[in-house]
Structure formats: structure tokens, C-alpha cells
């Protein structure tokens, strides 16, 4: 595996650690490890900048979907400072995945996320 591939995989692993963090303190640490201080997250439902805003979006997703976790749905693909990957939101009870999408991230020189552009491919009605 090349150094660049490791860089993308490591950044995305930290991203999923943040999205799956449970407690507020754990979430804050995971977001700080994954994103630059001025990092951003944008999807059809959110547009935030900074660690507090990103943590709030993640906490809201956990509130809306208790008992679910995010997991990758395929390999990470990347070039230069950009990577893309698919994901699913999976029920820890029955394994269903009512929400799925893909994200495109840009990284800084240290491999931390500067921006996330998220796309939702599958969302349940009323969510």
C-alpha cells in the first residue's frame, strides 16, 4: 500500500471514529483529531465550520438515529489532497442500513480534514 493510500485510509478511519464517538468528550477529541480547527462539513442537511459545529451535526445524527453506527461501504479512493468514500448508517440491532451516501474530503498536509462534501444516496421518508 502506498503512503498516499495510507494517508487517505487513515484520514477516513479518523472520520468514522468521530462519527461513531458516543460521549461528548470522546466526540470532541475525535473531531479534533480528524478535522483542522477551521474544517468544514457540508451535506444537503448541514453546512458548518469548526469543531463545535461538526460535533453538533454528529450529535444530532446520533439523536435522530439512536443505536446506529456509521461504517464504510467500500474502499477509499484518493488523489492529491482529495479522497472519496461511500458509507452506511447501520442499525446495531438488526443490521439494516436505512441511510447511505458518499463523501468527498480534502486534507491538509498532515492528513487532517479541511472540508467534507457529503451526498445522501438513501434516506428514509420523514428523516
Amino acid at each position: 500500500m502506498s503512503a498516499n493510500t495510507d494517508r487517505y485510509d487513515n484520514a477516513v478511519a479518523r472520520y468514522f471514529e468521530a462519527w461513531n464517538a458516543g460521549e461528548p468528550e470522546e466526540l470532541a477529541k475525535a473531531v479534533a483529531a480528524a478535522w483542522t480547527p477551521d474544517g468544514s462539513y457540508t451535506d444537503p442537511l448541514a453546512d458548518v465550520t469548526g469543531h463545535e459545529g461538526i460535533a453538533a451535526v454528529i450529535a444530532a445524527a446520533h439523536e435522530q438515529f439512536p443505536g446506529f453506527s456509521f461504517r464504510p461501504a467500500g474502499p477509499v479512493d484518493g488523489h492529491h489532497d482529495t479522497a472519496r468514500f461511500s458509507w452506511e448508517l447501520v442499525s446495531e440491532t438488526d443490521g439494516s442500513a436505512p441511510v447511505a451516501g458518499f463523501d468527498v474530503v480534502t486534507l491538509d498536509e498532515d492528513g487532517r480534514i479541511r472540508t467534507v462534501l457529503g451526498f445522501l444516496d438513501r434516506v428514509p421518508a420523514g428523516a
Side-chain angles (χ1 to χ4, degrees), residues 6-8 12 17 32 46 51-54 60 63 96 104 111 120 124:
D6 286 346
R7 179 174 180 239
Y8 307 133
V12 172
E17 286 174 17
H51 291 171
E52 286 183 17
I54 294 165
E63 210 171 281
S96 64
V104 176
L120 301 173

Side-chain angles (χ1 to χ4, degrees), residues 11-26:
V12 172
R14 287 190 307 273
Y15 175 87
F16 281 108
E17 286 174 17
W19 276 95
N20 290 319
E23 298 301 316
E25 185 176 307
E26 178 188 8

Side-chain angles (χ1 to χ4, degrees), residues 12 15-16 19 41-45 65 69-77 83-90 96-105 116-124:
V12 172
Y15 175 87
F16 281 108
W19 276 95
Y41 177 87
T42 303
D43 73 13
L45 307 173
F65 293 96
S69 60
F70 288 87
R71 73 173 180 204
V76 177
D77 182 28
R84 67 178 177 166
F85 55 94
S86 297
W87 53 266
E88 296 178 311
L89 182 62
V90 180
S96 64
V99 182
F102 78 92
D103 292 350
V104 176
V105 299
V116 176
L117 298 175
F119 296 83
L120 301 173
D121 297 325
R122 183 174 61 238
V123 180

